[in-house]
Amino acid sequence: MGRCDDLIGNLSDFIDGELDAETCSELEKHLAGCKNCRLMVDSMKMTVKLCRDGVQEELPPSLKKRLDKKLAERWKKQFGHL
Amino acid sequence: MNPKEKKTIQIDEKELVRLAQSGDFKAFTTLIEGYRPKIFGLALKLAKNREDAEDIFQETFLKAIDNIKKFRAESSFGTWLYTIGVNVVRAKYGRDSKGELLPLEDYLPASHDHSDAAAAQLYDWNDPLSKLTNEEIKGKLDKAIHELPLKYRLPFLLRYTQEMSVQEVADTLNIKLANAKSRILRARMALRQNLNEYFSEDN
Ligand SMILES: [Zn+2]
């Protein structure tokens, strides 16, 4: 697995740490000697990191309130009671 | 989480589902509690605007009420809930999102193999903040995510904002594992390429 194109299919698994040990060490060997692939790997890592960092993790209280009200209404409609 | 803890949670979930199916509203709200902020975060990334995101978010849980009696414990409650959410999104955006991404090879730099010419097309992202603020980059990324065709946007976001395994992504979208894997990778490459342009501006 010397060529850059050969490793591309495994790139995501490699970055996400889900590659088997043997393929992983082959890939690392390639990366050590190939700047292009290193830049590719780094920028793909950064892409996901930026995406994860940008996820909102809190529910706005006003939206929560609206949802609670709607859920209760729908439940009553479906089950006849709360 | 040790296996014993996991088992307890599964039993609790089963019991909560049973109670909810027999009309216990409190059991239902307990079931969805932890999923609410996660699904809202997902909807914000998925939707084209705030209004759509709130719609998708609310509609997912309302549809869950409509269908709770039909839930059979073939999948976890979480997977079932996400499947409902995915159907809500597909109903909303399915028709206007028929685009395709390029084949994988096209996301590689023109001559990715060892030649000097190729180096010019890959940039060192480790120094992105010297050109753009983090907020700017995130704005560009959000825009790039919204431009992804739905069939790529969904698996990418399930994988990396909801931290699902590739298998869970495949189950939630009802597609084959290999397809889920390939779509996640292509989405990631497409986004990478899209952002890459911004880092090249001064080069
Ligand atoms: Zn290489």
Side-chain angles (χ1 to χ4, degrees), chain B residues 64-122:
Chain B
I65 293 182
D66 295 345
N67 291 288
I68 186 75
K69 282 186 180 167
K70 288 185 218 154
F71 172 65
R72 303 276 168 268
E74 288 149 1
S75 60
S76 71
F77 181 76
T79 304
W80 179 76
L81 192 58
Y82 278 104
T83 305
I84 290 178
V86 163
N87 288 336
V88 170
V89 173
R90 281 174 175 158
K92 202 174 192 69
Y93 291 140
R95 232 172 308 163
D96 54 63
S97 192
K98 288 268 190 285
E100 255 305 333
L101 289 181
L102 301 169
L104 206 49
E105 330 50 288
D106 289 15
Y107 291 111
L108 300 176
S111 56
H112 187 54
D113 269 315
H114 305 266
S115 78
D116 294 336
Q121 294 179 40
L122 283 162

Side-chain angles (χ1 to χ4, degrees), chain B residues 159-170:
Chain B
R159 177 82 176 95
Y160 294 117
T161 72
Q162 307 297 299
E163 306 306 327
M164 285 188 188
S165 68
V166 180
Q167 184 64 60
E168 285 168 330
V169 172

Side-chain angles (χ1 to χ4, degrees), chain B residues 6 56 95 99 115 202:
Chain B
K6 197 168 184 187
I56 290 164
R95 232 172 308 163
S115 78
D202 293 347

Side-chain angles (χ1 to χ4, degrees), chain A residues 4 7 30 34 37, chain B residues 112 114:
Chain A
C4 305
L7 66 80
H30 177 87
C34 180
C37 282
Chain B
H112 187 54
H114 305 266

Side-chain angles (χ1 to χ4, degrees), chain A residues 4 13 16 43 52 74, chain B residues 66 112 160 163 181 192:
Chain A
C4 305
D13 282 348
D16 297 338
S43 52
R52 280 182 171 137
R74 184 67 65 98
Chain B
D66 295 345
H112 187 54
Y160 294 117
E163 306 306 327
K181 199 171 170 169
R192 192 210 75 87

